[in-house]
């Protein structure tokens, strides 16, 4: 039996590590690619939709792919501390991998705009949390400035090793399907991930005769949609706090991915995003966080209009786990409060029979 020991070991030859590099890993990657069985039938379209469930990474999001690489390289370079600005998931991943490496993590987060699970994780891992009374974009600007004045390595996706790690998700998809999907749909915030996937697909097919890369589709929340609008947004707002970002860091790289792949950006309302999140849970048994569901919201919209034609094979990346944001989940199910009954056989029997 071959033990799975993380994505760096798995894709060593395609990543910037040497024989002597000490790998900082929590066994990230190798996440399931789940074919949706019910939703295509519900919408009455002949399409194959797979979801790449990145919520099953060690800290519950795709950020672990980038963080194993970024922290491995930071440690290799002798760094004693890492820093990031974050809407929540990056801070949780940075905190966990810092502990693993035995170094210090500092995280800047927008006060009151972090999902509860992400804050709880980051506290548990013991990172130094710095809350600011400003949004992610302001935090990111501050992190870039402070890194010039203090001995800390930035582990946001402007760190190129983050994208190196994240590109492995595309490798896994092609390895598993045996080919690339026709369309790849992603939620977009800073646009590091869509950039990394595109890099991964291109690298996978370099030098091969039947190069077949997907059309990249990037979906944003309507209130935080700089790519869909074609300009930066100063006061981004969305219930999907993970992608509450108005000044994306990978602006040029993501436009290149869009153009080279023949793809597009679009935006969807919070209601559409939340509806997709609930649909995935209630029809497929897959619970992702709100931001992640933007990928499916966009795919379903573009399938319904025919922009994504019938017969297509589509992959949607579900970037984070639904358990990260229990408050939104409870709001989503406000009209499905559990009933409380007598602790007797009779009452339990009645409660069951009422539902059959
Ligand atoms: C669940 O944690 O930016 O387009 O600071 O957590 O690569 O930025 C999170 C981003 C999508 C957007 N889905 O990815 C952070 C942060 C989830 C996320 C995105 C994020 P990018």
């Amino acid at each position: 039996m071959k033990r799975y020991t993380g994505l760096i070991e798995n894709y060593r030859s395609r990543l910037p590590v040497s024989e002597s590099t000490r790998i900082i890993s929590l066994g990230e990657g190798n996440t399931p690619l789940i074919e949706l069985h019910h939703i295509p039938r519900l919408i009455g379209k002949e399409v194959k939709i797979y979801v790449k469930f990145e919520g099953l990474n060690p800290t519950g999001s795709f950020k672990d792919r980038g963080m194993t690489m970024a922290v491995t390289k930071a440690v290799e370079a002798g760094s004693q501390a890492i820093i990031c600005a974050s809407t929540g998931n990056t801070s949780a991943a940075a905190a966990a991998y810092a502990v693993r490496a035995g170094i210090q993590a500092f995280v800047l987060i927008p006060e009151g705009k972090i999902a509860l699970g992400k804050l709880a994780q980051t506290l548990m891992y013991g990172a130094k949390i710095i809350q600011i009374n400003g949004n992610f974009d302001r935090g990111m600007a501050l992190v870039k400035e402070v890194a010039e004045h203090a001995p800390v390595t930035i582990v946001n996706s402007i760190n190129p090793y983050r994208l190196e790690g994240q590109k492995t998700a595309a490798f896994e998809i092609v390895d598993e399907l045996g080919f690339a999907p026709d369309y790849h749909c992603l939620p977009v915030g800073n646009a590091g991930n869509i950039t990394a996937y595109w890099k991964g697909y291109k690298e996978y097919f370099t030098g091969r005769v039947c190069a077949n890369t997907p059309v990249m589709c990037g979906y944003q929340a309507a209130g935080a949609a700089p790519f869909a609008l074609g300009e930066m947004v100063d006061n981004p707002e969305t219930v999907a706090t993970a992608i509450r970002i108005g000044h994306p860091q990978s602006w040029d790289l993501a436009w290149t991915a869009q153009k080279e792949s023949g793809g597009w950006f679009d935006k969807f309302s919070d209601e559409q995003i939340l509806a997709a999140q609930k649909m995935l849970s209630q029809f497929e048994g897959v619970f992702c966080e709100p931001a992640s569901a933007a990928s499916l919201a966009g795919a379903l919209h573009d399938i319904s209009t025919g922009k994504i034609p019938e017969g297509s094979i589509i992959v949607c990346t579900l970037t984070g786990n639904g358990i990260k944001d229990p408050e939104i989940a409870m709001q989503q199910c406000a009209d499905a409060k559990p009933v409380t009954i007598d602790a007797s056989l009779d009452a339990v029997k009645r409660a069951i029979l009422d539902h059959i």
Side-chain angles (χ1 to χ4, degrees), residues 60-63 67 84-93 108-110 114 118 136 140 156-157 162-163 166 186-196 219-220 227 240-245 248-250 254 288-294 317-321 324:
S61 89
F62 74 99
K63 303 287 180 181
M67 211 52 76
C84 64
S86 179
T87 58
N89 280 325
T90 302
S91 62
L108 258 78
I109 57 172
I114 298 284
K118 301 173 190 178
F136 168 85
M140 192 65 240
N156 281 102
S157 53
R162 279 277 311 277
L163 303 191
Q166 285 170 216
L186 289 145
V188 171
N190 277 305
N193 213 25
I194 196 167
T195 301
Y219 300 123
Q220 304 204 280
F227 285 103
T241 50
I243 51 173
R244 189 172 169 271
I245 294 165
Q249 297 300 310
S250 295
C288 68
E289 67 171 284
S292 309
T317 297
L318 301 180
T319 43
N321 199 303
K324 293 258 192 184

Side-chain angles (χ1 to χ4, degrees), residues 123-134:
L123 285 165
M124 281 298 285
Y125 295 133
K128 177 73 188 160
I129 300 181
I130 304 163
Q131 293 199 80
I132 59 164
N133 56 357

Side-chain angles (χ1 to χ4, degrees), residues 228-247:
L229 297 170
E231 62 184 11
M232 300 289 176
V233 172
D234 280 338
N235 292 300
E237 258 329 323
T238 169
V239 69
T241 50
I243 51 173
R244 189 172 169 271
I245 294 165
H247 290 246

